[in-house]
Amino acid sequence: MKTSRFHLSTLKETPADAEIISHQLMLRAGLIRRLASGLYTWLPMGLRVLRKVESIIREEMNNAGALELLMPAVQPAELWQESGRWEQYGPELLRLKDRHQREYCVGPTHEEVITDMFRREVKSYKQLPINFYQIQTKFRDEIRPRFGIMRAREFLMKDAYSFHTNQDSLQQTYDQMFETYSKIFDRFGLKYRPVNADSGAIGGSASNEFHVLADSGEDAIAFSDQSDYAANIEMAEAICNQQRNEPGQELKTVDTPDQRTIDQIADFLSIPVVKTIKTLIACGEDNQLVALVLRGDHELNAIKAEKLPGIASPFQMADPEEIKKQLGCDIGSIGPVGLTIPTFVDRSAASINDLVCGANENDKHYTGVNWGRDLPEPDSVDIRNVVDGDPSPDGEGTLSIVRGIEVGHIFQLGDKYSSALNATVLDENGKSAVTKMGCYGIGVSRVVAAAIEQSHDDSGIIWPMSLAPFHLAIVPINYHKSELVKQAADDFYAQCQQQGIEVLLDDRPLRPGAMFSDMELIGIPHRIVFSERGLKAQQCEYKGRCDEKSQDIDIDNLPEFIQAKLSS
RNA sequence: CGGGGUGUAGCGCAGCCUGGUAGCGCAACUGCUUUGGGAGCAGUGGGUCGGGGGUUCGAAUCCCUCCUCCCCGACCA
């Protein structure tokens, strides 16, 4: 491709409304343009990248025996009413009516459509297991679309659905998809981690998310340094191996005027934060209050807390007014000593001796508090987020926390949709059996943004070879003035094309600096420069996107050199 | 949804407070010069000043209203 015949549309300045780096660079490099909130046009340059992501996914899904199909983006309301999700789904579901006043939605996902297709098409256990997938545009009417492609309303997704007669078969396909996803992400050339995830509202048992690692990621992931354990931070079990020491201090009440936060208290009393505990008050069932006790430096995990008996669902912190009314003091001075409401104590909080806590009286705290002596031995539970350095729940190694962007999710749906839509097959005994389903998604467009978040520098995007829109940039200096340069550039370009190299020749009549900047912004991994000066010495110049310096290459060696670079 | 901000040429912004009919840089177009890290000079084109309503002789500017986009907010103990 020559730039003169391509729509190269770079911006020197960063559009003001782009917040995160991938959004900025995608706009600047001319990959996408915004049409409306959460809606983007993929320009030719961006589409090349998107197609690469797609084709890697397609190849590996095909290798795994999955069958591609394509379902409508617009779906009839009847199907959603049948599954019950027409009611369940909130305003994220974009609903619309046709000219006959029939109701439809723009699909945010395709479980209903695939299950409907399946029940019409597949009749016998002999046809199972089977795994269908599509790469289709989805729409979710997000409250607050932001971060460009990262959280757009319309996005491209690969979604696959497998059908089975039994759990073993489902598990087998699930494991196979796990493998396939690992291959796909390996081929993307991105740093990623599969993590155990909460299957949440979707239901089902096993669930793994695939995260592309990036400092700007929205999700925190805990992973072990010695095993392949990795989990969403909300899901990781917080282990406490620490044994509690014997009481060493007497219980005392101290005045702590205006000391409310844990940091203030620790500072005021000159004690480490890990010797403090905090007592959070949550809403329980029947307007009760429930106390949750954590070590001062730990964070409550609301998902874990919600599962405790007697806690109101959805989880909610109690109203400060109500707390004051019932407990007689303000938040900030609450402690478990003498507390009469149901109390849950986190494992780590339960393992401290001689601790400091609120005295249930404003501006007073207890010091030297000991479990089993000053208050009952607690039933300890896991209600906190894991932190860096915690022991790994699988007993191997310690946890580190990194940030990631969720781009893939696989889970077992079980019979949620197949029973709602009556997707059955005849089994070996000629009896009708409800199928079990698995569901496997990859955010295709999000992969593009995630790749940029993970890999960029001040000059622009740094693509892995597998996703780069072009592999090689040819930058001739004075292409339009020097016949020598034009000849050399055109010859080499033709040669590359013959060999099927994805090459972009910059034949615009620009100054070199402008061309260099554009090629770097776009993130083309390899660059060859032809100049009259070099050619007269039988040389040209090579620079990799991440190389500090360029190197001179003999023209005669150029083809082999480039071959080697591109295949490495 | 609540709070804050914003909207002026393709992009980035000034002008608004203190009303007098719109400007700068980049980009685009033409010409000449220039050609190893986003060139110089000269010239040209491009605006319903987010929409609607109002005040006024006169509104980008003041008032009302609707809309857009962006940011913050669901972990304080």
Side-chain angles (χ1 to χ4, degrees):
Chain A
M1 182 59 66
K2 294 185 176 182
T3 51
S4 58
R5 291 195 289 122
F6 197 73
H7 181 69
L8 201 62
S9 185
T10 57
L11 304 173
K12 197 182 286 188
E13 281 170 294
T14 303
D17 53 5
E19 183 68 11
I20 60 168
I21 195 74
S22 61
H23 190 196
Q24 294 173 354
L25 289 175
M26 288 180 87
L27 289 168
R28 287 227 291 135
L31 269 46
I32 54 165
R33 289 291 182 258
R34 194 185 75 95
L35 174 66
S37 180
L39 302 176
Y40 292 86
T41 295
W42 289 81
L43 298 178
M45 187 67 77
L47 188 61
R48 289 182 73 97
V49 181
L50 192 67
R51 291 287 186 241
K52 301 233 166 169
V53 175
E54 251 183 65
S55 52
I56 289 173
I57 294 172
R58 184 172 281 117
E59 281 173 31
E60 292 302 331
M61 290 302 290
N62 290 347
N63 284 345
L67 302 170
E68 184 167 12
L69 46 64
L70 185 60
M71 294 179 271
V74 174
Q75 311 177 9
E78 286 82 0
L79 275 180
W80 285 72
Q81 283 155 354
E82 210 178 331
S83 73
R85 289 208 293 182
W86 188 258
E87 311 298 328
Q88 283 168 25
Y89 234 93
E92 272 197 5
L93 185 65
L94 180 64
R95 297 156 212 250
L96 47 101
K97 282 183 183 160
D98 70 5
R99 60 167 71 192
H100 304 295
Q101 300 302 303
R102 286 186 291 241
E103 290 190 294
Y104 293 85
C105 64
V106 183
T109 172
H110 280 71
E111 280 86 0
E112 283 82 358
V113 181
I114 192 77
T115 308
D116 179 64
M117 184 282 287
F118 177 88
R119 68 181 168 184
R120 294 166 191 273
E121 293 290 323
V122 180
K123 301 293 173 198
S124 163
Y125 75 97
K126 292 177 189 170
Q127 292 168 282
L128 300 188
I130 196 160
N131 191 358
F132 296 105
Y133 78 97
Q134 66 168 351
I135 296 176
Q136 168 67 288
T137 296
K138 313 268 184 171
F139 191 94
R140 290 182 194 166
D141 201 357
E142 300 271 358
I143 306 171
R144 198 180 146 200
R146 53 183 150 173
F147 306 145
I149 288 297
M150 194 72 83
R151 190 174 316 162
R153 291 193 294 173
E154 189 179 286
F155 55 99
L156 190 62
M157 186 169 169
K158 186 284 297 181
D159 50 324
Y161 307 91
S162 67
F163 295 85
H164 312 267
T165 44
N166 59 60
Q167 177 62 33
D168 281 354
S169 167
L170 171 56
Q171 186 63 44
Q172 216 169 10
T173 298
Y174 183 86
D175 292 344
Q176 184 196 26
M177 280 297 109
F178 189 97
E179 290 301 311
T180 300
Y181 272 44
S182 301
K183 281 184 200 157
I184 290 169
F185 284 89
D186 283 342
R187 283 187 62 187
F188 286 160
L190 299 175
K191 285 183 222 119
Y192 72 97
R193 267 209 162 69
V195 310
N196 299 329
D198 187 0
S199 49
I202 305 145
S205 43
S207 171
N208 280 276
E209 291 173 355
F210 283 73
H211 284 256
V212 167
L213 303 187
D215 295 337
S216 57
E218 281 194 273
D219 300 304
I221 303 163
F223 70 97
S224 166
D225 58 354
Q226 278 171 38
S227 70
D228 57 6
Y229 178 88
N232 207 302
I233 198 165
E234 285 82 28
M235 288 297 293
E237 187 184 355
I239 306 282
C240 183
N241 294 336
Q242 205 184 324
Q243 287 297 314
R244 194 170 70 217
N245 290 326
E246 289 301 306
Q249 300 175 2
E250 290 306 306
L251 179 68
K252 270 196 283 196
T253 310
V254 293
D255 286 325
T256 50
D258 293 325
Q259 309 299 312
R260 293 203 173 78
T261 69
I262 286 292
D263 285 340
Q264 286 171 351
I265 293 290
D267 205 45
F268 183 78
L269 298 174
S270 301
I271 51 158
V273 177
V274 295
K275 278 292 185 186
T276 65
I277 57 168
K278 59 187 179 189
T279 306
L280 316 187
I281 307 299
C283 296
E285 289 163 352
D286 309 323
N287 290 330
Q288 276 252 311
L289 296 184
V290 177
L292 303 170
V293 179
L294 292 167
R295 205 171 81 185
D297 57 327
H298 284 152
E299 248 179 27
L300 177 69
N301 181 318
I303 296 173
K304 292 176 182 175
E306 193 178 318
K307 293 178 183 155
L308 294 173
I311 297 270
S313 180
F315 181 85
Q316 220 184 344
M317 291 308 242
D319 175 55
E321 290 298 313
E322 187 61 27
I323 294 173
K324 182 146 195 189
K325 214 170 94 190
Q326 291 202 29
L327 303 182
C329 70
D330 283 315
I331 54 180
S333 299
I334 305 170
V337 182
L339 209 56
T340 52
I341 57 176
T343 303
F344 294 98
V345 181
D346 185 73
R347 291 168 182 166
S348 297
S351 72
I352 325 171
N353 68 331
D354 298 337
L355 56 84
V356 172
C357 66
N360 297 320
E361 192 179 335
N362 279 357
D363 297 333
K364 291 200 189 301
H365 278 74
Y366 289 124
T367 64
V369 180
N370 281 279
W371 302 104
R373 184 190 72 182
D374 308 318
L375 69 182
E377 193 64 45
D379 285 330
S380 65
V381 290
D382 173 25
I383 49 171
R384 69 173 173 92
N385 283 335
V386 293
V387 295
D388 216 274
D390 273 344
S392 176
D394 67 353
E396 295 178 56
T398 57
L399 293 178
S400 297
I401 313 280
V402 290
R403 300 204 72 83
I405 300 162
E406 185 194 340
V407 289
H409 197 170
I410 60 178
F411 43 89
Q412 300 185 8
L413 289 171
D415 61 0
K416 179 174 158 99
Y417 295 94
S418 46
S419 60
L421 298 187
N422 200 29
T424 59
V425 293
L426 292 181
D427 66 13
E428 298 91 324
N429 305 315
K431 287 192 176 157
S432 168
V434 174
T435 50
K436 294 197 178 299
M437 292 173 64
C439 168
Y440 321 93
I442 295 180
V444 179
S445 43
R446 183 178 270 194
V447 168
V448 178
I452 298 171
E453 287 295 327
Q454 183 176 93
S455 179
H456 61 268
D457 64 12
D458 290 345
S459 306
I461 302 167
I462 303 174
W463 294 113
M465 276 295 275
S466 57
L467 303 185
F470 293 96
H471 291 158
L472 173 65
I474 301 175
V475 180
I477 296 171
N478 271 332
Y479 182 85
H480 295 271
K481 288 280 172 63
S482 164
E483 193 52 40
L484 185 64
V485 168
K486 183 176 190 315
Q487 194 69 55
D490 284 348
D491 285 353
F492 182 55
Y493 172 69
Q495 220 178 90
C496 289
Q497 283 206 310
Q498 262 183 10
Q499 294 174 45
I501 296 172
E502 293 185 77
V503 60
L504 183 66
L505 168 63
D506 200 345
D507 59 345
R508 297 173 297 174
L510 295 180
R511 299 170 65 86
M515 293 191 279
F516 294 156
S517 302
D518 272 353
M519 295 303 120
E520 284 162 9
L521 175 59
I522 295 161
I524 300 177
H526 304 280
R527 184 185 81 192
I528 290 291
V529 177
F530 289 108
S531 68
E532 202 161 272
R533 193 181 69 199
L535 287 169
K536 282 182 174 155
Q538 293 297 307
Q539 287 190 323
C540 63
E541 176 192 300
Y542 167 83
K543 186 171 177 296
R545 176 63 179 77
C546 296
D547 295 349
E548 288 264 312
K549 283 182 182 166
S550 59
Q551 49 181 308
D552 292 333
I553 308 297
D554 281 348
I555 292 288
D556 295 339
N557 300 334
L558 182 57
E560 295 74 38
F561 179 85
I562 283 299
Q563 271 301 342
K565 279 289 178 192
L566 292 184
S567 56
S568 66

